[in-house]
Coordinates of all heavy atoms in Angstrom, one line a residue:
M1 N -40.8 -25.1 -15.3 CA -40.5 -25.7 -14.0 C -39.1 -26.3 -13.9 O -38.4 -26.1 -12.9 CB -41.6 -26.8 -13.7 CG -42.9 -26.2 -13.0 SD -42.6 -25.4 -11.5 CE -44.1 -25.6 -10.6
S2 N -38.8 -27.1 -14.9 CA -37.5 -27.7 -14.8 C -36.3 -26.7 -14.9 O -35.2 -26.9 -14.4 CB -37.3 -28.7 -16.0 OG -37.4 -28.0 -17.3
Q3 N -36.6 -25.5 -15.4 CA -35.6 -24.4 -15.5 C -35.3 -23.9 -14.1 O -34.2 -23.6 -13.8 CB -36.1 -23.3 -16.4 CG -35.0 -22.6 -17.2 CD -35.5 -21.7 -18.2 OE1 -36.7 -21.3 -18.2 NE2 -34.7 -21.2 -19.1
I4 N -36.3 -23.7 -13.3 CA -36.2 -23.2 -11.9 C -35.3 -24.2 -11.1 O -34.4 -23.8 -10.4 CB -37.5 -22.9 -11.3 CG1 -38.3 -21.8 -12.0 CG2 -37.4 -22.6 -9.8 CD1 -39.8 -21.8 -11.8
L5 N -35.6 -25.5 -11.2 CA -34.9 -26.5 -10.5 C -33.4 -26.5 -10.9 O -32.5 -26.8 -10.1 CB -35.5 -27.9 -10.7 CG -36.9 -28.1 -9.9 CD1 -37.6 -29.3 -10.5 CD2 -36.7 -28.2 -8.5
A6 N -33.2 -26.2 -12.1 CA -31.8 -26.3 -12.6 C -30.9 -25.1 -12.2 O -29.7 -25.2 -11.9 CB -31.8 -26.4 -14.1
T7 N -31.5 -23.9 -12.1 CA -30.8 -22.7 -11.7 C -30.6 -22.5 -10.2 O -29.7 -21.9 -9.8 CB -31.5 -21.4 -12.3 OG1 -32.8 -21.5 -11.9 CG2 -31.3 -21.4 -13.8
K8 N -31.4 -23.1 -9.4 CA -31.3 -23.0 -8.0 C -30.0 -23.4 -7.3 O -29.4 -22.6 -6.6 CB -32.5 -23.7 -7.3 CG -33.0 -22.9 -6.0 CD -34.2 -23.6 -5.4 CE -34.6 -22.8 -4.2 NZ -35.8 -23.5 -3.5
P9 N -29.5 -24.6 -7.6 CA -28.2 -24.9 -7.0 C -27.0 -24.0 -7.5 O -26.1 -23.8 -6.7 CB -27.9 -26.4 -7.5 CG -29.3 -26.9 -8.0 CD -30.0 -25.7 -8.5
K10 N -27.1 -23.5 -8.7 CA -26.0 -22.6 -9.2 C -26.0 -21.3 -8.4 O -24.9 -20.8 -8.1 CB -26.3 -22.3 -10.7 CG -25.8 -23.4 -11.6 CD -26.1 -22.9 -13.1 CE -25.7 -24.0 -14.1 NZ -26.0 -23.6 -15.4
T11 N -27.2 -20.8 -8.1 CA -27.2 -19.6 -7.3 C -26.6 -19.8 -5.9 O -25.9 -18.9 -5.4 CB -28.7 -19.1 -7.2 OG1 -29.3 -19.1 -8.4 CG2 -28.8 -17.7 -6.6
L12 N -27.0 -20.9 -5.3 CA -26.4 -21.2 -3.9 C -24.9 -21.3 -3.9 O -24.2 -20.8 -3.1 CB -27.0 -22.5 -3.4 CG -28.5 -22.4 -2.9 CD1 -29.1 -23.8 -2.7 CD2 -28.5 -21.7 -1.5
Y13 N -24.4 -21.9 -5.0 CA -23.0 -22.1 -5.1 C -22.3 -20.8 -5.3 O -21.2 -20.5 -4.7 CB -22.6 -23.0 -6.3 CG -21.2 -23.2 -6.5 CD1 -20.4 -23.9 -5.7 CD2 -20.5 -22.5 -7.6 CE1 -19.0 -24.0 -5.9 CE2 -19.2 -22.6 -7.8 CZ -18.4 -23.4 -6.9 OH -17.1 -23.4 -7.1
Y14 N -22.9 -19.9 -6.1 CA -22.3 -18.6 -6.4 C -22.2 -17.7 -5.1 O -21.3 -17.1 -4.8 CB -23.2 -17.8 -7.4 CG -22.7 -16.4 -7.7 CD1 -21.6 -16.2 -8.5 CD2 -23.4 -15.3 -7.1 CE1 -21.1 -14.9 -8.7 CE2 -22.9 -14.1 -7.3 CZ -21.8 -13.9 -8.1 OH -21.3 -12.6 -8.3
D15 N -23.3 -17.8 -4.3 CA -23.3 -17.0 -3.0 C -22.2 -17.5 -2.1 O -21.5 -16.7 -1.5 CB -24.7 -17.2 -2.3 CG -25.8 -16.4 -3.0 OD1 -25.4 -15.5 -3.9 OD2 -27.0 -16.7 -2.8
L16 N -22.0 -18.8 -1.9 CA -21.0 -19.3 -1.1 C -19.6 -18.9 -1.6 O -18.7 -18.6 -0.8 CB -21.1 -20.8 -1.0 CG -22.3 -21.4 -0.1 CD1 -22.5 -22.8 -0.4 CD2 -22.0 -21.2 1.4
H17 N -19.5 -19.0 -2.9 CA -18.2 -18.8 -3.5 C -17.8 -17.3 -3.4 O -16.6 -16.9 -3.2 CB -18.2 -19.2 -5.0 CG -16.9 -19.2 -5.6 ND1 -15.9 -20.2 -5.4 CD2 -16.3 -18.3 -6.5 CE1 -14.9 -19.9 -6.1 NE2 -15.1 -18.8 -6.8
F18 N -18.8 -16.4 -3.4 CA -18.5 -15.0 -3.4 C -18.3 -14.4 -2.0 O -17.5 -13.5 -1.8 CB -19.7 -14.2 -4.1 CG -19.6 -12.8 -4.2 CD1 -18.8 -12.2 -5.1 CD2 -20.2 -11.9 -3.3 CE1 -18.6 -10.8 -5.2 CE2 -20.1 -10.5 -3.3 CZ -19.2 -10.0 -4.3
T19 N -19.0 -15.0 -1.0 CA -18.9 -14.5 0.3 C -17.5 -14.7 1.0 O -17.0 -13.8 1.6 CB -19.9 -15.2 1.2 OG1 -21.2 -15.0 0.6 CG2 -20.0 -14.5 2.6
K20 N -16.9 -15.8 0.7 CA -15.6 -16.2 1.3 C -14.5 -15.2 1.0 O -13.8 -14.7 1.9 CB -15.2 -17.6 1.0 CG -15.9 -18.6 1.9 CD -15.5 -20.0 1.6 CE -16.2 -21.0 2.5 NZ -15.9 -22.4 2.3
P21 N -14.2 -14.9 -0.3 CA -13.1 -13.9 -0.6 C -13.4 -12.5 -0.1 O -12.5 -11.8 0.3 CB -13.1 -14.0 -2.1 CG -13.8 -15.2 -2.5 CD -14.8 -15.4 -1.5
S22 N -14.7 -12.1 0.0 CA -15.0 -10.7 0.4 C -14.7 -10.5 1.9 O -14.2 -9.4 2.3 CB -16.4 -10.4 0.1 OG -17.3 -11.1 1.0
I23 N -14.8 -11.5 2.7 CA -14.4 -11.5 4.1 C -12.9 -11.4 4.3 O -12.4 -10.6 5.0 CB -15.0 -12.7 4.9 CG1 -16.5 -12.6 5.0 CG2 -14.4 -12.8 6.3 CD1 -17.2 -13.9 5.4
H24 N -12.2 -12.2 3.5 CA -10.8 -12.2 3.5 C -10.2 -10.8 3.1 O -9.3 -10.3 3.6 CB -10.2 -13.3 2.6 CG -8.7 -13.3 2.5 ND1 -8.0 -13.8 3.5 CD2 -7.9 -12.9 1.5 CE1 -6.7 -13.7 3.1 NE2 -6.6 -13.2 1.9
L25 N -10.8 -10.2 2.1 CA -10.4 -8.9 1.5 C -10.6 -7.8 2.6 O -9.7 -7.0 2.7 CB -11.2 -8.6 0.3 CG -10.6 -7.6 -0.7 CD1 -9.6 -8.3 -1.6 CD2 -11.7 -6.9 -1.5
H26 N -11.7 -7.9 3.3 CA -12.0 -6.9 4.3 C -10.9 -6.9 5.4 O -10.4 -5.9 5.9 CB -13.4 -7.1 4.9 CG -13.7 -6.1 6.0 ND1 -14.1 -4.8 5.7 CD2 -13.8 -6.2 7.3 CE1 -14.3 -4.2 6.8 NE2 -14.2 -5.0 7.8
S27 N -10.5 -8.1 5.9 CA -9.6 -8.2 7.0 C -8.2 -7.7 6.5 O -7.4 -7.2 7.3 CB -9.5 -9.6 7.5 OG -9.0 -10.5 6.5
T28 N -7.9 -7.9 5.3 CA -6.6 -7.4 4.7 C -6.5 -5.9 4.7 O -5.5 -5.3 5.0 CB -6.3 -8.0 3.3 OG1 -6.6 -9.4 3.4 CG2 -4.9 -7.8 2.9
V29 N -7.6 -5.3 4.3 CA -7.7 -3.8 4.2 C -7.5 -3.1 5.6 O -6.8 -2.2 5.8 CB -9.0 -3.4 3.5 CG1 -9.2 -1.9 3.6 CG2 -9.0 -3.8 2.1
S30 N -8.2 -3.7 6.6 CA -8.1 -3.1 7.9 C -6.7 -3.1 8.5 O -6.4 -2.4 9.4 CB -9.1 -3.8 8.9 OG -8.7 -5.1 9.1
E31 N -5.9 -4.0 8.1 CA -4.5 -4.1 8.6 C -3.6 -3.1 7.9 O -2.5 -2.8 8.4 CB -3.9 -5.5 8.3 CG -4.5 -6.5 9.3 CD -4.2 -7.9 8.9 OE1 -3.2 -8.2 8.2 OE2 -4.9 -8.8 9.3
A32 N -4.0 -2.5 6.7 CA -3.2 -1.6 6.0 C -3.4 -0.2 6.5 O -4.2 0.6 6.1 CB -3.5 -1.6 4.5
T33 N -2.7 0.2 7.6 CA -2.8 1.5 8.2 C -1.4 2.1 8.4 O -0.4 1.4 8.4 CB -3.5 1.4 9.6 OG1 -2.7 0.4 10.4 CG2 -4.9 0.9 9.6
C34 N -1.4 3.4 8.5 CA -0.2 4.2 8.7 C 0.4 3.9 10.0 O -0.3 3.9 11.0 CB -0.4 5.7 8.5 SG 1.0 6.7 8.9
Y35 N 1.7 3.6 10.1 CA 2.4 3.3 11.3 C 2.4 4.5 12.3 O 2.4 4.3 13.5 CB 3.9 2.9 11.0 CG 4.7 2.4 12.2 CD1 4.4 1.2 12.8 CD2 5.7 3.2 12.7 CE1 5.1 0.8 13.9 CE2 6.4 2.8 13.8 CZ 6.1 1.6 14.4 OH 6.8 1.2 15.5
V36 N 2.4 5.7 11.8 CA 2.5 6.9 12.6 C 1.1 7.3 13.1 O 0.9 7.5 14.3 CB 3.2 8.1 11.9 CG1 3.4 9.3 12.8 CG2 4.6 7.6 11.3
C37 N 0.2 7.6 12.2 CA -1.1 8.1 12.6 C -2.2 7.1 12.5 O -3.4 7.5 12.8 CB -1.4 9.4 11.7 SG -1.7 9.0 10.0
K38 N -2.0 5.9 12.1 CA -2.9 4.8 12.0 C -4.1 5.1 11.0 O -5.2 4.6 11.2 CB -3.5 4.5 13.4 CG -2.5 4.3 14.5 CD -1.7 3.0 14.3 CE -0.6 2.9 15.4 NZ 0.4 2.0 15.1
K39 N -3.8 6.0 10.1 CA -4.7 6.3 9.1 C -4.9 5.1 8.1 O -3.9 4.5 7.7 CB -4.2 7.5 8.3 CG -5.3 8.3 7.5 CD -4.8 9.5 6.9 CE -4.7 10.7 7.8 NZ -4.2 11.9 7.2
E40 N -6.1 4.7 7.9 CA -6.4 3.6 7.0 C -6.3 3.9 5.5 O -6.5 5.0 5.1 CB -7.8 3.0 7.3 CG -7.9 2.1 8.5 CD -9.3 1.5 8.7 OE1 -9.9 1.2 7.7 OE2 -9.7 1.5 9.8
L41 N -5.9 2.9 4.8 CA -5.7 3.0 3.4 C -7.1 3.2 2.7 O -8.0 2.4 2.9 CB -5.0 1.8 2.8 CG -4.8 1.7 1.3 CD1 -3.9 2.8 0.8 CD2 -4.3 0.3 0.9
K42 N -7.2 4.4 2.0 CA -8.4 4.6 1.3 C -8.1 5.5 0.1 O -7.0 5.9 -0.1 CB -9.5 5.3 2.2 CG -9.1 6.6 2.8 CD -10.2 7.1 3.7 CE -9.8 8.4 4.4 NZ -10.9 8.9 5.3
E43 N -9.2 5.9 -0.6 CA -9.0 6.7 -1.8 C -8.4 8.1 -1.5 O -8.8 8.8 -0.6 CB -10.3 6.9 -2.5 CG -10.2 7.1 -4.0 CD -11.5 7.2 -4.7 OE1 -12.5 6.5 -4.4 OE2 -11.6 8.1 -5.6
G44 N -7.3 8.4 -2.2 CA -6.6 9.7 -1.9 C -5.5 9.6 -1.0 O -4.7 10.6 -0.9
I45 N -5.4 8.5 -0.2 CA -4.3 8.3 0.7 C -3.4 7.2 0.2 O -3.9 6.1 0.1 CB -4.8 8.1 2.2 CG1 -5.5 9.3 2.7 CG2 -3.6 7.7 3.1 CD1 -6.3 9.1 3.9
G46 N -2.1 7.5 0.0 CA -1.2 6.4 -0.4 C -0.3 6.0 0.7 O 0.2 6.8 1.5
L47 N -0.2 4.7 0.9 CA 0.6 4.1 1.9 C 1.9 3.5 1.2 O 1.8 2.9 0.2 CB -0.1 3.0 2.7 CG -1.2 3.4 3.6 CD1 -1.9 2.2 4.2 CD2 -0.7 4.2 4.8
T48 N 3.0 3.8 1.9 CA 4.3 3.4 1.3 C 5.0 2.5 2.4 O 5.0 2.8 3.6 CB 5.2 4.6 1.1 OG1 4.5 5.6 0.3 CG2 6.4 4.2 0.2
A49 N 5.6 1.4 1.9 CA 6.3 0.5 2.8 C 7.7 1.1 3.0 O 8.4 1.5 2.1 CB 6.5 -0.8 2.1
K50 N 8.1 1.3 4.3 CA 9.4 1.9 4.7 C 10.1 1.0 5.7 O 9.4 0.4 6.6 CB 9.1 3.3 5.3 CG 9.4 4.4 4.4 CD 9.3 5.7 5.2 CE 10.3 6.7 4.7 NZ 10.3 8.0 5.4
R51 N 11.4 1.0 5.7 CA 12.2 0.3 6.6 C 12.3 1.1 7.9 O 12.8 2.3 7.8 CB 13.6 -0.1 6.1 CG 14.4 -1.0 7.0 CD 15.7 -1.4 6.3 NE 15.4 -2.5 5.3 CZ 15.4 -3.8 5.7 NH1 15.5 -4.1 6.9 NH2 15.2 -4.7 4.7
F52 N 11.9 0.6 9.0 CA 11.9 1.4 10.3 C 12.3 0.4 11.4 O 11.6 -0.5 11.7 CB 10.6 2.0 10.6 CG 10.5 2.8 11.9 CD1 11.0 4.1 11.9 CD2 10.0 2.2 13.0 CE1 10.9 4.8 13.1 CE2 9.9 3.0 14.2 CZ 10.4 4.3 14.2
A53 N 13.5 0.7 12.0 CA 14.0 -0.2 13.1 C 14.1 -1.6 12.7 O 13.5 -2.5 13.4 CB 13.3 0.1 14.4
D54 N 14.7 -1.9 11.6 CA 14.9 -3.3 11.1 C 13.6 -4.0 10.8 O 13.5 -5.3 10.7 CB 15.7 -4.1 12.1 CG 17.2 -3.8 12.0 OD1 17.6 -3.3 10.9 OD2 17.9 -4.1 12.9
R55 N 12.5 -3.3 10.6 CA 11.3 -4.0 10.1 C 10.5 -3.1 9.1 O 10.7 -1.8 9.1 CB 10.3 -4.4 11.2 CG 9.7 -3.3 12.1 CD 9.2 -3.9 13.4 NE 8.3 -2.9 14.0 CZ 6.9 -3.1 14.0 NH1 6.4 -4.2 13.5 NH2 6.2 -2.2 14.6
I56 N 9.7 -3.6 8.3 CA 9.0 -2.9 7.3 C 7.7 -2.4 7.8 O 6.9 -3.2 8.3 CB 8.8 -3.8 6.0 CG1 10.2 -4.2 5.4 CG2 8.0 -3.0 4.9 CD1 11.1 -3.1 4.9
V57 N 7.4 -1.1 7.8 CA 6.2 -0.6 8.2 C 5.5 0.2 7.1 O 6.2 0.6 6.2 CB 6.3 0.3 9.5 CG1 6.8 -0.5 10.7 CG2 7.3 1.5 9.2
L58 N 4.2 0.5 7.2 CA 3.5 1.3 6.2 C 3.3 2.7 6.8 O 2.9 2.9 7.9 CB 2.2 0.6 5.9 CG 2.2 -0.7 5.1 CD1 0.8 -1.3 5.1 CD2 2.7 -0.5 3.7
V59 N 3.6 3.7 6.0 CA 3.4 5.1 6.3 C 2.6 5.8 5.3 O 2.7 5.5 4.1 CB 4.7 5.9 6.6 CG1 5.4 5.4 7.9 CG2 5.7 5.7 5.4
C60 N 1.7 6.7 5.6 CA 0.9 7.4 4.7 C 1.7 8.5 4.0 O 2.8 8.8 4.4 CB -0.4 8.0 5.4 SG 0.0 9.4 6.5
S61 N 1.1 9.2 3.0 CA 1.9 10.2 2.2 C 2.3 11.4 3.1 O 3.3 12.0 2.8 CB 1.0 10.6 1.0 OG -0.3 10.9 1.5
S62 N 1.6 11.7 4.2 CA 2.0 12.8 5.0 C 3.1 12.5 6.0 O 3.8 13.4 6.5 CB 0.8 13.4 5.7 OG 0.0 12.4 6.2
H63 N 3.4 11.2 6.2 CA 4.5 10.8 7.1 C 5.6 10.1 6.3 O 6.5 9.5 6.9 CB 4.0 9.9 8.2 CG 3.0 10.6 9.1 ND1 1.7 10.4 9.2 CD2 3.3 11.6 10.0 CE1 1.1 11.2 10.1 NE2 2.1 11.9 10.6
N64 N 5.5 10.2 5.0 CA 6.5 9.5 4.2 C 7.9 10.3 4.2 O 7.9 11.4 4.0 CB 6.0 9.4 2.8 CG 6.9 8.5 1.9 OD1 7.7 7.8 2.4 ND2 6.6 8.5 0.6
Ligands
ZN1 ZN1 0.4 8.9 8.7

């Protein structure tokens, strides 16, 4: 019985700790898109940072 009471707060803390960074990570990924075709960064597609009109933009491998 005492074991259940001891592990319960740890589980709650882990859930809270894990949820916050995963939301932040998702919002960062959605912003990484190709400047030309708006293709999202995913497996098999490489995005490269390029200087375009005095600012840095991301372009995919087919528009590099
Ligand atoms: Zn592209």
